[in-house]
Amino acid sequence: MTVTAEMLDAHPGDLGAAERRALAECIDRCLDCVQACTACADACLAEDMVTELRRCIRTDLDCADICDATARILSRHTGYGADVTRDVLAACAAACAACAAECDRHAGTHEHCAVCAEACRRCERACRGLLTKLG
């Protein structure tokens, strides 16, 4: 059990079992993506061809910021706003798709981009999955 799942279980509100699992998965995937994108941007900065990786760095950092905000918003349940949650999930999924596509362009040359692209795809799937459960 992750800390995310423990915190959701400890919340006094009724979050629903199925939604709780999807929510925990999505928060964890967002946090994984924050780490992967931040590390990928840093690794890109250490590459000799940093100029060619400028767009990748920007996309990584944008995705990390959006995933971080999404994880934080999903972690708050008191005074829940479904519209904001759906919009943030959709934005996160879009940012992850864009970042995965950009990292895929460099994955054959840079292992860190391949790892990041996969983390982005997992996060995108988790966000889209949670969106379907929210309706």
Side-chain angles (χ1 to χ4, degrees):
M1 181 177 283
T2 67
V3 170
T4 303
E6 288 181 82
M7 288 304 294
L8 291 173
D9 286 346
H11 194 281
D14 180 21
L15 304 175
E19 290 78 11
R20 187 174 293 177
R21 282 189 301 278
L23 185 59
E25 175 73 13
C26 192
I27 292 168
D28 285 338
R29 293 302 69 80
C30 283
L31 294 173
D32 288 348
C33 200
V34 169
Q35 195 285 325
C37 288
T38 301
C40 186
D42 184 68
C44 285
L45 287 169
E47 296 288 353
D48 290 334
M49 57 184 288
V50 70
T51 302
E52 290 84 7
L53 295 168
R54 188 175 291 151
R55 181 181 172 118
C56 190
I57 294 164
R58 171 59 190 261
T59 306
D60 282 338
L61 295 175
D62 287 350
C63 189
D65 287 346
I66 291 168
C67 288
D68 184 53
T70 301
R72 292 172 59 150
I73 288 167
L74 292 177
S75 295
R76 297 190 286 259
H77 305 285
T78 305
Y80 172 74
D83 290 342
V84 170
T85 300
R86 280 192 287 276
D87 290 347
V88 168
L89 283 167
C92 190
C96 287
C99 193
E102 180 60 30
C103 281
D104 277 340
R105 293 181 57 231
H106 310 285
T109 308
H110 305 293
E111 174 82 17
H112 52 85
C113 287
V115 172
C116 187
E118 186 52 38
C120 289
R121 282 190 285 276
R122 284 191 300 267
C123 187
E124 179 188 6
R125 284 191 302 270
C127 287
R128 293 196 192 286
L130 185 56
L131 267 170
T132 62
K133 291 192 182 320
L134 296 177

